[in-house]
């Protein structure tokens, strides 16, 4: 399992970089495709296309950095313990979010937004926190003598 999490973290980072490399027009078209489909499937959504597009784009920032931070945290548990695990995991994901926004500055039709950096950092904090809560819960079950299936360890 040790090798899976770093691979997933690298894959998440590569996916983020690829998505950020899309020119603004292509990114906007992809986002609007999703918005139009959602409004077709759920016509009672009380939001305009523009507002739904805004929410989805900002939600995507939060979610991909949440996923990246979960993968990073699981990658580092073998090397770092305690509060440093949170700080290092969150720091790596948050700094990647900052550098990715700077990267977007150089992509035609894209912008570097401080608000997106903050959303990325918030998603990274949530992902790191969730991963650590899960790891603490798992550790507690192991210490208490049972695994997550409820069976006693022997």
């Amino acid at each position: 399992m040790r090798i899976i999490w770093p691979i997933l973290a690298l894959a998440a980072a590569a996916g983020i970089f690829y998505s950020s490399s899309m020119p603004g027009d292509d990114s906007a078209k992809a986002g609007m495709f999703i918005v139009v489909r959602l409004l077709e499937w759920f016509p009672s959504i009380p939001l305009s296309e523009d507002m739904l597009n805004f929410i989805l784009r900002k939600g995507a920032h939060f979610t991909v950095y949440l996923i990246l931070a979960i993968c990073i945290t699981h990658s580092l548990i073998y090397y770092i313990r305690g509060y440093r695990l949170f700080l290092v995991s969150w720091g790596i994901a948050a700094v990647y979010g900052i550098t990715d926004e700077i990267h977007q500055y150089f992509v035609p039709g894209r912008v570097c937004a401080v608000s997106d950096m903050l959303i990325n950092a918030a998603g990274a904090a949530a992902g790191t926190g969730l991963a650590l809560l899960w790891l603490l819960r798992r550790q507690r079950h192991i210490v208490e003598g049972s695994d997550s299936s409820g069976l006693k360890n022997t």
Side-chain angles (χ1 to χ4, degrees), residues 91-122:
I92 291 170
V95 167
Y96 188 75
I98 291 168
T99 61
D100 189 60
E101 283 300 313
I102 293 168
H103 160 243
Q104 286 186 41
Y105 176 79
F106 300 99
V107 177
R110 302 295 290 265
V111 297
C112 174
V114 172
S115 60
D116 287 346
M117 291 178 189
L118 295 172
I119 293 168
N120 297 345

Side-chain angles (χ1 to χ4, degrees), residues 30-90:
M32 284 310 291
F33 176 81
I34 294 169
V35 167
V36 169
R37 294 300 165 265
L38 281 173
L39 290 172
E40 285 176 3
W41 297 334
F42 306 102
S44 62
I45 293 177
L47 300 171
S48 68
E49 282 185 3
D50 289 339
M51 181 54 72
L52 187 56
N53 186 40
F54 176 80
I55 291 169
L56 286 174
R57 291 175 82 77
K58 301 310 171 188
H61 276 270
F62 186 89
T63 303
V64 296
Y65 283 92
L66 179 140
I67 292 167
L68 177 63
I70 287 172
C71 295
I72 291 170
T73 303
H74 279 86
S75 298
L76 295 176
I77 61 170
Y78 304 103
Y79 311 103
I80 305 171
R81 298 279 183 213
Y83 72 92
R84 284 188 221 128
L85 178 57
F86 179 88
L87 292 175
V88 172
S89 298
W90 173 77

Side-chain angles (χ1 to χ4, degrees), residues 1-11 71-72 74-75 78:
M1 244 353 234
R2 226 180 239 209
I3 191 70
I4 297 298
W5 289 108
I7 291 170
L8 291 174
L10 289 173
C71 295
I72 291 170
H74 279 86
S75 298
Y78 304 103

Side-chain angles (χ1 to χ4, degrees), residues 77 134-154:
I77 61 170
W134 184 85
L135 290 167
L136 287 172
R137 183 177 181 274
R138 185 171 161 244
Q139 183 180 26
R140 193 180 88 223
H141 281 285
I142 291 170
V143 168
E144 291 174 355
S146 65
D147 61 15
S148 61
S149 67
L151 302 174
K152 293 290 181 191
N153 289 336
T154 56

